[in-house]
Amino acid sequence: MPETPTFVPGPQYDGWLTGVEQIGYGGDYNPEQWPEEVWAEDVRLMNEAGVNLVSLGIFSWALLEPREGEFDFGWLDRVIELLHDGGVRVLLATPTAAPPAWLYAAHPDARVVDRTGTPMGPGGRGLMAPTAPAYRSAALRITTELAQRYGKHPAVVGWHVHNEYGAPVALDYSVHAQRAFREWLRDRYDSLDALNAAWGTAFWGQHYEDWEHVQVPAVAPEAVNPAQQLDFARFSDAALRACFVAERDAVREHSSAPVTTNFMAASCPATDLFAWGKEVDLVSNDHYLQAANPRGYVGLALAADLTRSVAGGKPWLLLEHSTSAVNWQPRNVAKRPGELARNSFAHLGRGADAIMFFQWRASRSGAEKFHSAMLPHAGTDSRVWREVTELGANLGRLTELTGSRVHADVALLWDYESFWAQDLEFRPSQGARHRERVDTYYDRLWRDGHTVDLARPTQDLSGYKLVVAPASYLLTADAAANLTAYVEAGGTLLVSYFSGIVDEHDAVHPGGFLAPLRDALGVRVEEFLPLRADDALTVTYRAGAAGAGAASTDAVPLTGTVWADDLVLAGAEPVGTYADGPKPGGAAITRHRHGAGTGWYVSTSLDVDALATVMADVYAAAGLAPSGTVAGLEVVRRTGDGGTYTVAINHTDGPAKLPLPAPATDLLTGDAVTGDAEVSAGAVRVLRTTTA
Ligand code: GLA
């Protein structure tokens, strides 16, 4: 039997416990799906795989409280003891994402209602209306019972509240939501006059004289007031967060173990994770690859960087990913040999101190029986099991990485309000999707080997050499002032089209499009000139126009799609002009000195390859050195007391060279490495360098 792992509170969690002495390793454990005889084998195999942490009881409410107010904790007592004896620690779940049938039978109004007015379920999960009083009180009762019973149990090192708030549905249009939305609006605006002004209700005769007439934005034949929809998105996020806070506080009454909940950083924009990050003791995330995208590992990196940013740079837990295929996408592609390790190490390199999966043992029944697991249906004589045990052994060699931090020189702006506002109806072009620009700019930065933090436009940006604003449609005056001050103080800011357009009420800024960034960028947008779906235009870009570091000053043609602007220069110099399209000869890409820094503006949609040319100049202007590694070798660094840890993941089919600044130790093999390291095709290396 391997040594019992011990968990010691570490400084990286500000004294909040779960200072994992080792990298956490494990997954969701659903023992109630199996006869009790199987549990002992589970723990034995967990030990074999190096599992030291499981999330337990996530969907157990109906078994723990089979009838309202009647509890059965016997089976959970026994399974927790077994895990404890086996040295496996527990993140105990509050099972409130799947209320029992008795709750819905007694309170059908506690179900979530969709935009058409149809109540959801039952038969699924996540179907409760977050503001339904019957749900809220029942959820607090089971949470309190669990916290009282297990709050001081030595095996319970943390709490996993609920499951993926906002999934499978984040917006509820029930009668309870209707009531709570009005209360939320009264709190926010105080008077109907203020609400009328904020929502611009003079338009289309939407003026309100009575709070009772204000509605949730239900389905309509045409566009619904965008400010109303934006407030509904804010309210819906706040309603879910209030559920979390109530459960967290109920847990804290009886337990000092840290409380977390599993976010869906890159896939669920309905929850403002920067706000949620302030409420949890520890940040956790779930991530699943989009199987249709063979380069899904770039999306993985974005999700991990966002999670770390939400955690304020502190280590975080990857609570779920998959060992192989999922079962809920149209075509569920199995992971290739080594992909499980590559994905896991990418999360680790970007700051995760726990690598966990959905789920421990594959289910025989129910909706997720075709989802991969740590212990697959094929059993232990299988590739997946061998890769799972190998990963467990390798993570066991990386204890010294716990608590180490990732540093990023580049910030990419990520703002939920802008997300919620941009993609509503009646926009200048359906081709201008918020997420698309974020992904494309992130992909460029990933390919160029830059580690990126995701940042709010209002936060302190002074530590970054470069800030990229790929989709800042909604930009408050304060946020614009912050970006302008960043440039003034010497920063390099790059802004993409359809940014700086509206304020917090989705009202166009006085002074016109881009007005709040005029000082920083030295341009204004007189009119949007969106393109037809299949149209493209050419930008003549003078590579090297930016000066320092430029390869040449020859004109380079770049293809743009989706968008163009009628730009008026107000101090900026054009470094790219439209050769054709709606405004031939007009400025397309500009650069502007402001204070000690520079503001760049790109007014069309360049794809990831075309962006390479422009970004090379932007990096040079920002003083960002090229990474010097081949495309497809993902390199991230964590720094801790023991030195710098370079995590290198080779996504290519050939060996890749990794230049090292100093002699290193390979932490997976123990070998000393001098000169360049080589990372074989599809492989992962973790190298420690120390400087004297
Ligand atoms: C989500 C849920 C899990 C499981 C997985 C499947 O992340 O939290 O319960 O359904 O998806 O991928």
Side-chain angles (χ1 to χ4, degrees):
M1 168 95 101
E3 238 182 272
T4 304
T6 46
F7 284 71
V8 177
Q12 68 270 33
Y13 299 122
D14 294 339
W16 257 322
L17 195 112
T18 315
V20 190
E21 203 176 273
Q22 299 169 293
I23 301 292
Y25 187 53
D28 287 9
Y29 183 36
N30 298 305
E32 67 273 32
Q33 296 178 13
W34 299 91
E36 213 160 318
E37 318 69 276
V38 176
W39 300 353
E41 184 193 54
D42 281 334
V43 176
R44 181 177 63 74
L45 290 175
M46 284 178 191
N47 286 164
E48 196 176 310
V51 166
N52 53 31
L53 188 62
V54 292
S55 297
L56 183 66
I58 299 172
F59 298 107
S60 302
W61 191 351
L63 294 180
L64 294 173
E65 191 180 359
R67 283 161 297 281
E68 183 163 11
E70 281 180 37
F71 300 97
D72 174 9
F73 291 114
W75 68 270
L76 190 58
D77 290 351
R78 293 194 293 282
V79 84
I80 289 180
E81 281 320 311
L82 264 178
L83 290 164
H84 186 47
D85 291 348
V88 178
R89 300 298 187 249
V90 173
L91 287 171
L92 189 58
T94 68
T96 53
W102 54 253
L103 182 84
Y104 294 130
H107 305 280
D109 56 298
R111 286 175 297 161
V112 76
V113 171
D114 79 1
R115 204 173 172 190
T116 67
T118 310
M120 298 281 102
R125 62 173 170 179
L127 301 173
M128 56 286 148
T131 52
Y135 166 68
R136 292 290 294 269
S137 60
L140 281 191
R141 187 174 53 221
I142 184 69
T143 298
T144 303
E145 289 287 334
L146 283 163
Q148 263 169 351
R149 192 174 186 92
Y150 302 107
K152 297 191 171 50
H153 196 292
V156 176
V157 297
W159 291 86
H160 175 305
V161 163
H162 199 84
N163 191 62
E164 294 190 337
Y165 280 99
V169 54
L171 303 179
D172 170 38
Y173 298 80
S174 68
V175 289
H176 301 295
Q178 180 72 269
R179 171 192 45 78
F181 184 42
R182 281 189 200 125
E183 281 164 17
W184 184 89
L185 290 168
R186 288 181 97 128
D187 251 21
R188 183 175 173 87
Y189 293 110
D190 206 29
S191 73
L192 271 180
D193 282 351
L195 177 121
N196 278 312
W199 285 13
T201 56
F203 183 77
W204 274 1
Q206 293 173 343
H207 181 83
Y208 294 103
E209 281 294 328
D210 187 333
W211 281 105
E212 289 305 304
H213 299 164
V214 179
Q215 304 273 333
V216 292
V219 78
E222 211 187 23
V224 171
N225 184 317
Q228 179 185 2
Q229 294 194 70
L230 177 56
D231 268 345
F232 188 62
R234 291 178 176 129
F235 155 77
S236 301
D237 171 45
L240 289 170
R241 202 158 359 109
C243 290
F244 169 76
V245 166
E247 290 192 30
R248 179 202 64 196
D249 290 350
V251 166
R252 282 186 182 165
E253 290 280 308
H254 305 283
S255 178
S256 57
V259 182
T260 190
T261 182
N262 45 344
F263 296 155
M264 296 167 283
S267 60
C268 181
T271 45
D272 177 346
L273 295 187
F274 286 111
W276 285 74
K278 295 196 184 108
E279 302 292 355
V280 297
D281 295 336
L282 281 171
V283 166
S284 302
N285 194 44
D286 294 350
H287 182 265
Y288 292 95
L289 295 175
Q290 292 301 319
N293 179 0
R295 297 182 68 250
Y297 46 79
V298 180
L300 181 161
L302 169 56
D305 286 346
L306 175 56
T307 309
R308 182 188 66 253
S309 305
V310 163
K314 291 180 196 161
W316 51 278
L317 289 81
L318 178 70
L319 273 198
E320 289 180 27
H321 68 151
S322 65
T323 58
S324 190
V326 301
N327 66 316
W328 43 266
Q329 296 183 17
R331 288 158 200 262
N332 297 294
V333 177
K335 288 192 179 176
R336 299 293 184 258
E339 198 172 354
L340 163 59
R342 289 195 292 281
N343 293 165
S344 300
F345 280 94
H347 286 291
L348 181 99
R350 291 173 193 277
D353 268 8
I355 302 295
M356 301 176 69
F357 297 91
F358 174 83
Q359 60 178 332
W360 161 250
R361 184 187 277 270
S363 303
R364 284 191 58 218
S365 308
E368 300 195 292
K369 55 184 165 291
F370 299 125
H371 195 293
S372 60
M374 298 179 84
L375 181 55
H377 290 297
T380 53
D381 186 10
S382 62
R383 175 184 69 83
V384 165
W385 177 255
R386 283 186 284 277
E387 292 197 24
V388 162
T389 50
E390 188 187 346
L391 177 61
N394 277 335
L395 293 177
R397 300 181 175 105
L398 299 179
T399 299
E400 64 181 279
L401 265 74
T402 57
S404 58
R405 303 290 180 98
V406 176
H407 172 80
D409 283 327
V410 181
L412 190 84
L413 297 188
W414 177 282
D415 179 45
Y416 288 91
E417 300 227 327
S418 206
F419 223 126
W420 297 336
Q422 183 179 331
D423 290 346
L424 297 175
E425 310 95 339
F426 284 16
R427 297 315 190 202
S429 171
Q430 289 289 318
R433 307 306 289 175
H434 186 89
R435 185 61 191 267
E436 183 281 327
R437 278 295 85 186
V438 172
D439 285 343
T440 303
Y441 275 91
Y442 183 88
D443 194 3
R444 187 65 261 159
L445 289 158
W446 188 97
R447 291 180 199 218
D448 295 331
H450 296 295
T451 304
V452 172
D453 281 345
L454 283 300
R456 285 155 299 146
T458 44
Q459 76 178 57
D460 177 12
L461 299 165
S462 57
Y464 297 107
K465 292 183 174 169
L466 171 64
V467 173
V468 180
S472 294
Y473 162 74
L474 184 157
L475 199 67
T476 62
D478 284 353
N482 187 47
L483 296 177
T484 305
Y486 164 75
V487 177
E488 230 159 64
T492 301
L493 171 71
L494 181 140
V495 177
S496 173
Y497 62 87
F498 205 36
S499 289
I501 308 299
V502 297
D503 67 10
E504 58 272 40
H505 303 304
D506 198 55
V508 174
H509 281 290
F513 308 138
L514 208 57
L517 289 175
R518 192 169 304 163
D519 288 347
L521 301 178
V523 286
R524 66 190 178 84
V525 174
E526 189 171 312
E527 192 180 8
F528 302 139
L529 306 172
L531 309 189
R532 294 191 177 84
D534 298 324
D535 282 359
L537 52 72
T538 308
V539 173
T540 306
Y541 179 74
R542 299 210 170 271
S552 92
T553 53
D554 291 347
V556 178
L558 302 175
T559 300
T561 55
V562 179
W563 198 273
D565 280 326
D566 186 350
L567 275 187
V568 179
L569 298 174
E573 82 185 90
V575 293
T577 46
Y578 292 118
D580 51 25
K583 200 190 175 193
I589 301 172
T590 60
R591 169 180 178 265
H592 179 56
R593 278 307 281 183
H594 178 64
T598 310
W600 293 71
Y601 182 67
V602 180
S603 69
T604 187
S605 182
L606 302 177
D607 70 12
V608 70
D609 294 322
L611 268 181
T613 311
V614 180
M615 293 304 279
D617 280 350
V618 174
Y619 299 148
L624 286 166
S627 70
T629 51
V630 303
L633 180 68
E634 182 175 356
V635 180
V636 260
R637 295 196 168 83
R638 295 177 59 156
T639 306
D641 293 343
T644 295
Y645 304 100
T646 301
V647 179
I649 303 142
N650 187 351
H651 297 282
T652 75
D653 293 332
K657 198 180 278 182
L658 172 67
L660 290 172
T665 305
D666 184 323
L667 295 182
L668 299 182
T669 61
D671 294 343
V673 186
T674 43
D676 292 343
E678 187 176 289
V679 189
S680 352
V684 168
R685 293 189 81 170
V686 183
L687 299 151
R688 180 189 56 219
T689 46
T690 45
T691 39

